[in-house]
Amino acid sequence: MTHTPGIVIVGASGRMGQMLIKTVLDSDKATLVGAVERTGHDWVGQDVGSAMGGQPTGVIVTDDALEAFAKAQAVIDFTAPVATIEFSKIAAQARCVHVIGTTGMTDEEIAALEPAARHAVIVRAGNMSLGVNLLTQLTKKVAAALDEDFDIEVIEAHHHHKVDAPSGTALMLGEAAAEGRGVALKDVSDRGRDGITGARKKGDIGFTAIRGGDIVGEHDVLFAAAGERIVLRHMATDRTIFARGALKAALWGQDKAPGAYDMMDVLGL
Ligand code: NAD
């Protein structure tokens, strides 16, 4: 009999999936009750602990999300946008808290989560770490305090497997800077400079993405004016910070009313 909330990890074999499984197994506040992978993935049918190269856990990886979610109180999802939308419908049906770390979602894909949020708790954040969420608040404050003489640039670096750019975190930071300035990010966002771009437009918020090696995630918010610069920086050296944040969100969501939440709500920032 499970006395702590039962958690399902989807995308179990992924970089974050494996970290999440370890985090839930190590926690005394939650129980791992399911692990889901894509149909045809070679982990399906295997014990998730053995598939990860460790001790068996008694949890067999499945491609049947509905069956897995029916036994759970929360689903933690760091997969891909199309998969996340499908999982949101199934999690809502099973009345599970759905914690979404997946990034690279378009506005339309984010809107597609709304029907599910009417029936279940969804916590979605481009970054689940306490440090980055604090950095987001700081960015908003600094942007509000400075005028457009300070050019704002968001510079991020990630490992070479990452498929989306700018990172979800860089966009979160850009949104925070825009909010601090009282503008809409979509009106001032400057992405992907190449060639003869012309001079930088005053008030723009620029993004630069570096990809290489095994960088877990680094973000700088640069405020550059004539004669001075302020740099706010977060460096992630270990993925456990995201997994711990996601588990915290899954537990936090247990007694909340259906709706769409983010890590600021979870952390009370
Ligand atoms: P990854 O490619 O290692 O893992 C993704 C996993 O999802 C894979 O195992 C894949 O098989 C699985 N998957 C895809 N479609 C599926 C489906 N339909 N059903 C079941 N499983 C499916 O990627 P990763 O590095 O673990 O990152 C995953 C996502 O999490 C990315 O969007 C990344 O940017 C994001 N991320 C977010 C945070 C955060 O704090 N929010 C932190 C790190 C990574």
Side-chain angles (χ1 to χ4, degrees):
M1 182 72 191
T2 299
H3 296 288
T4 55
I7 313 276
V8 173
I9 306 298
V10 293
S13 78
R15 276 176 290 276
M16 277 307 302
Q18 296 195 44
M19 189 55 78
L20 286 158
I21 284 165
K22 286 196 197 101
T23 302
V24 176
L25 286 172
D26 287 348
S27 170
D28 56 7
K29 296 195 177 75
T31 307
L32 184 72
V33 296
V36 174
E37 254 305 339
R38 286 178 283 112
T39 303
H41 193 284
D42 60 5
W43 280 30
V44 174
Q46 290 191 51
D47 184 287
V48 73
S50 315
M52 283 167 58
Q55 294 298 315
T57 59
V59 173
I60 306 298
V61 181
T62 177
D63 58 2
D64 187 340
L66 183 56
E67 193 193 26
F69 294 9
K71 292 181 279 189
Q73 280 70 53
V75 175
I76 305 183
D77 174 355
F78 285 60
T79 58
V82 176
T84 291
I85 292 167
E86 281 314 303
F87 290 139
S88 77
K89 296 174 193 161
I90 305 170
Q93 209 178 324
R95 299 292 189 268
C96 286
V97 172
H98 188 190
V99 177
I100 302 174
T102 306
T103 63
M105 298 185 82
T106 63
D107 290 346
E108 290 72 28
E109 285 167 337
I110 292 166
L113 302 171
E114 279 167 19
R118 286 199 279 274
H119 302 285
V121 171
I122 292 186
V123 182
R124 189 180 69 84
N127 195 303
M128 301 271 173
S129 84
L130 171 63
V132 158
N133 283 279
L134 275 173
L135 179 67
T136 305
Q137 296 292 81
L138 290 172
T139 298
K140 192 168 145 188
K141 280 201 173 147
V142 175
L146 301 173
D147 63 19
E148 287 190 353
D149 285 343
F150 282 80
D151 296 325
I152 303 179
E153 293 282 314
V154 182
I155 303 129
E156 55 107 336
H158 282 87
H159 54 87
H160 57 209
H161 299 289
K162 187 163 178 64
V163 295
D164 54 314
S167 69
T169 305
L171 292 171
M172 246 169 80
L173 294 167
E175 289 284 359
E179 214 180 311
R181 266 204 175 154
V183 295
L185 181 62
K186 66 176 173 39
D187 297 334
V188 294
S189 171
D190 185 4
R191 289 160 63 160
R193 295 182 193 117
D194 187 17
I196 311 294
T197 58
R200 192 187 196 284
K201 224 172 100 202
K202 199 167 183 168
D204 272 0
I205 296 177
F207 291 88
T208 302
I210 294 163
R211 294 289 174 267
D214 61 356
I215 303 170
V216 173
E218 298 177 4
H219 294 85
D220 278 9
V221 187
L222 168 70
F223 298 84
E228 60 180 335
R229 269 179 286 169
I230 299 167
V231 186
L232 302 180
R233 169 172 296 170
H234 181 266
M235 299 174 79
T237 51
D238 190 327
R239 286 187 176 82
T240 53
I241 59 170
F242 310 128
R244 283 201 306 265
L247 178 56
K248 194 179 182 101
L251 299 175
W252 175 89
Q254 291 305 310
D255 59 358
K256 299 297 176 294
Y261 301 90
D262 62 20
M263 278 312 277
M264 299 291 177
D265 299 312
V266 175
L267 297 169
L269 291 174

